[in-house]
Amino acid sequence: QVQLVESGGGLVQPGGSLRLSCAASGSMFRIYAMGWYRQAPGEQRELVASITSSGTPNYADSVKGRFTISRDNAKNTVSLQMNSLKFEDTAVYYCNRISSPWSWGQGTQVTVSS
């Protein structure tokens, strides 16, 4: 069973930046498309960015141009660089496989507040 550990969240002012990281256990990480999801209070979890096994990214319209997803298959990590953060980016952020998600990690809280 793959374990996912997210880190890098925090409190940031609007317009600020954060870099999230996700470490995955398991030797098959490199063959899967991975994504960053977020869940705001009272909302459903949504996919904000994904990256194929070969590194092709895709983004939700709400974060396009502000967020950048990347992966390091040698280290079993996937990252999310978040720039120009907005109040509405406040959420708990999770990483997971795109198809047939593994068990969810605890996520990392991102709070955008002045």
Side-chain angles (χ1 to χ4, degrees), residues 34 49-60 64 67-70:
M34 294 293 295
S50 63
I51 188 166
T52 66
S53 58
S54 58
T56 301
N58 195 31
Y59 302 96
K64 198 171 294 184
F67 290 10
T68 302
I69 189 171
S70 60

Side-chain angles (χ1 to χ4, degrees), residues 32-37 47-52 58 69 71 95-102 104:
Y32 297 116
M34 294 293 295
W36 278 97
Y37 301 76
L47 177 66
V48 297
S50 63
I51 188 166
T52 66
N58 195 31
I69 189 171
R71 68 189 296 161
C95 70
N96 213 321
R97 185 171 60 170
I98 294 299
S99 60
S100 302
W102 296 303
W104 295 91

Side-chain angles (χ1 to χ4, degrees), residues 11-57:
L11 174 64
V12 63
Q13 293 185 339
S17 298
L18 284 173
R19 184 175 180 85
L20 308 183
S21 293
C22 170
S25 63
S27 60
M28 301 302 289
F29 170 85
R30 67 187 184 280
I31 71 172
Y32 297 116
M34 294 293 295
W36 278 97
Y37 301 76
R38 68 186 181 189
Q39 187 168 21
E43 302 290 333
Q44 289 194 340
R45 189 173 290 157
E46 63 171 342
L47 177 66
V48 297
S50 63
I51 188 166
T52 66
S53 58
S54 58
T56 301

